[in-house]
Amino acid sequence: EPTPEPTAVPTPIPTLAPTFRPSPEPTPEPTPEPTPEPTAVHTSEPTPVPTSELMPAPTAMPVPAPTAVSEKGYCYRGDSTVTVLKSMKLHTTEMKAVKDLKVGDKIFSVTSNSLKKHAFKLSKVTGITHSPSEGGFVEITMGEKLVASKKIVRATPHHTFPLCNDKTIKKAMNIKVGDCLVTEYGHDTVKTVKELPVRAGDTTYTIQMEAGVRFISIGGVFTHAATSERPLATRMRGAARFE
């Protein structure tokens, strides 16, 4: 018998599983941000700042009180005396208290830097200043050569006096009994020195003299004078020593 040909078994066609594509999610539309409402601008005028805050009132500068003690030493108590020209025609003089002096009065003075060979003259007062006393005074009483009205000088502690040796200058507070000072009547010795406390109502005076005056007589005793020229310390430097 003929061999039967094998029957071809048909190869089954594989069935493709259906492919599912996910549907794309819709893109969300952006939510529009709310437009802010415009803020109302206030046009009202600003509150004015007080002028006192912008420009503070000027502060008044304190006025220093006048001092009774001068470092240059030209001050006297008002009851100290000076010799003043009374009559040029009669060549007479009189005694006046410092407090009664006037600008234009002529008082005993010396224009030389030295008192060794001095010649008295009458020089003009060009200014008088005064203030309430804040410190005490030194009272210097001379010996027997001066008359009673010309024996006493009351000056501030820093007031300066030349001694008879013409080389030494002393402040009133440093003068001692026995010191020799130059007076209207020549050399004389100090008899007493006393410190005087300031009293209610005391006034301190400064006498300003015309240019060229070096010494004036106060209570009959020659002391350094204040003028419009350079200070005494500059004039005397090298010519005398202080004590």
Side-chain angles (χ1 to χ4, degrees), residues 42-168:
H42 297 284
T43 57
S44 58
E45 296 183 358
T47 304
V49 180
T51 308
S52 59
E53 293 183 12
L54 293 174
M55 299 179 63
T59 305
M61 296 295 291
V63 179
T67 178
V69 178
S70 168
E71 286 296 333
K72 294 180 180 178
Y74 304 131
C75 301
Y76 321 94
R77 203 168 79 174
D79 55 359
S80 291
T81 59
V82 290
T83 304
V84 182
L85 176 66
K86 183 177 181 181
S87 170
M88 177 66 77
K89 184 177 181 180
L90 300 176
H91 301 284
T92 56
T93 59
E94 64 179 343
M95 298 302 298
K96 264 190 181 182
V98 169
K99 63 183 178 181
D100 297 325
L101 271 180
K102 297 178 181 177
V103 172
D105 280 346
K106 292 186 175 182
I107 66 176
F108 264 5
S109 65
V110 174
T111 54
S112 170
N113 279 324
S114 172
L115 284 169
K116 280 187 175 180
K117 296 180 179 179
H118 58 271
F120 300 153
K121 63 178 294 184
L122 290 160
S123 300
K124 187 182 296 184
V125 175
T126 58
I128 302 170
T129 58
H130 59 86
S131 63
S133 301
E134 293 185 355
F137 298 86
V138 177
E139 181 182 86
I140 302 168
T141 304
M142 301 305 297
E144 302 301 326
K145 286 190 177 182
L146 293 173
V147 296
S149 60
K150 297 182 178 181
K151 276 187 181 234
I152 300 174
V153 184
R154 298 181 183 96
T156 49
H158 289 274
H159 190 87
T160 54
F161 294 80
L163 299 192
C164 296
N165 63 14
D166 209 36
K167 295 180 180 179
T168 307

